[in-house]
Amino acid sequence: MNLDLRPVPVGALLREWRAARRLSQLDLALDAEISARHLSCIETGKAQPSRPLLMRLADALDMPLRERNALLHAAGYAAAIPETRLDTPAMEQVNKAIAFILAQQEPYPAFLMNRHWDILAANNAAQRVNGFLLDGRASPHANMLRHAFDPADLRPRIANWHDLAGTLIRHLHALVAGSPTDAKARALLDEVLAFPGVPPRWRVRDLDTAPAPLLTTEFVHRGVTLRFFSTITTFGTPRDITIDELHIECCFPMDEATAQFCRQLAGA
């Protein structure tokens, strides 16, 4: 088995990101305030970019923090942006803020996730609602997309599955297209597309359908209908990769029946 473990040259990485952003060399050069010839020399390996220039190019390409470090590494520079684990003392205030938001959402569900929709934490309401929908059994996954697409998980309880899953697929396609070096996002897309009943047309990114203004989910189980809409909270101007990739999804009831059922679960 022949594995090529050599790092991707910085020029090739820039070309890949420029193609993902649909920018010409001239467009990117103008945004980064350099000549198109200089950029061409960087992309072909004839010129070595400085560290400040790489950061300007990353800004022009709107690269996520993790990919900015990868760009620096490809050019032989040390990482510029830290990645701090959530369970370290340095993240104490961040964890307090997260815990506060999750607790304030009671008696309605709320989840802390990373950019791949892995569920890192959830409030008690989320556990109560999931427990009801799954009849007390544990979910086989700790990932929101797998929850929605796996027939052995929450999918049979989602009455508007086609609309919800189509929206989630569009978001995942956008992540893959916007982060061309994110192998985990690509693998997740391939995985969810392989679940049974997924329309073949979802394998191609849909650029024509506008996303709904709100993500809504409707569950039906044991004669109970629960309707939620979701909002997403992120940390503004993060200076750490971990914080940059976090988001909190809060679910709000769309009708009084849903709100009352959540209150009854909390009271029980």
Side-chain angles (χ1 to χ4, degrees):
M1 187 175 183
N2 182 23
L3 293 177
D4 189 353
L5 301 179
R6 292 173 297 177
V8 178
V10 65
L13 199 56
L14 282 172
R15 281 198 306 273
E16 191 172 3
W17 274 95
R18 184 168 57 76
R21 295 294 189 255
R22 299 182 179 183
L23 294 174
S24 68
Q25 280 189 341
L26 180 58
D27 291 333
L28 180 56
L30 289 174
D31 289 343
E33 299 180 346
I34 61 174
S35 70
R37 180 174 181 177
H38 190 185
L39 178 59
S40 177
C41 289
I42 293 173
E43 290 189 354
T44 57
K46 295 178 181 178
Q48 171 68 17
S50 67
R51 186 185 181 97
L53 175 54
L54 284 177
M55 297 307 290
R56 291 213 311 274
L57 289 168
D59 285 338
L61 290 166
D62 192 26
M63 294 174 66
L65 299 188
R66 182 179 299 277
E67 277 71 23
R68 293 174 188 237
N69 277 353
L71 185 68
L72 290 171
H73 178 72
Y77 298 111
I81 304 155
E83 182 177 7
T84 310
R85 286 174 35 180
L86 269 177
D87 59 355
T88 59
M91 289 292 194
E92 180 182 0
Q93 297 304 318
V94 172
N95 280 303
K96 285 183 178 179
I98 292 170
F100 179 80
I101 295 173
L102 295 180
Q104 287 294 109
Q105 189 60 19
E106 290 283 348
Y108 312 121
F111 306 86
L112 173 70
M113 291 177 280
N114 61 20
R115 72 173 179 172
H116 299 115
W117 290 274
D118 295 318
I119 300 173
L120 308 179
N123 65 358
N124 292 332
Q127 298 174 39
R128 291 192 299 267
V129 171
N130 277 14
F132 165 74
L133 294 172
L134 295 174
D135 294 317
R137 60 186 173 88
S139 168
H141 304 297
N143 179 278
M144 192 62 72
L145 294 183
R146 295 185 180 101
H147 278 327
F149 279 83
D150 188 352
D153 206 310
L154 288 175
R155 176 172 166 179
R157 311 289 194 249
I158 304 174
N160 65 331
W161 180 82
H162 192 276
D163 292 337
L164 174 68
T167 298
L168 293 176
I169 279 291
R170 283 194 291 273
H171 284 302
L172 185 51
H173 268 299
L175 174 62
V176 170
S179 299
T181 58
D182 190 340
K184 185 173 180 179
R186 166 57 65 181
L188 182 60
L189 177 61
D190 292 341
E191 179 185 349
V192 298
L193 288 172
F195 279 116
V198 175
R201 68 179 182 276
W202 287 2
R203 299 184 179 278
V204 179
R205 187 183 181 193
D206 183 1
L207 296 175
D208 297 324
T209 304
L214 288 174
L215 180 65
T216 62
T217 309
E218 180 176 328
F219 299 104
V220 176
H221 183 49
R222 293 194 293 183
V224 175
T225 299
L226 301 176
R227 297 183 178 92
F228 296 99
F229 72 89
S230 300
T231 64
I232 301 297
T233 300
T234 59
F235 289 86
T237 60
R239 299 179 182 178
D240 185 280
I241 291 174
T242 299
I243 302 174
D244 181 51
E245 296 179 352
L246 292 178
H247 68 272
I248 300 173
E249 180 173 344
C250 293
C251 303
F252 294 87
M254 296 185 67
D255 51 49
E256 179 55 31
T258 300
Q260 183 178 355
F261 186 82
C262 289
R263 291 193 296 265
Q264 290 174 347
L265 281 182

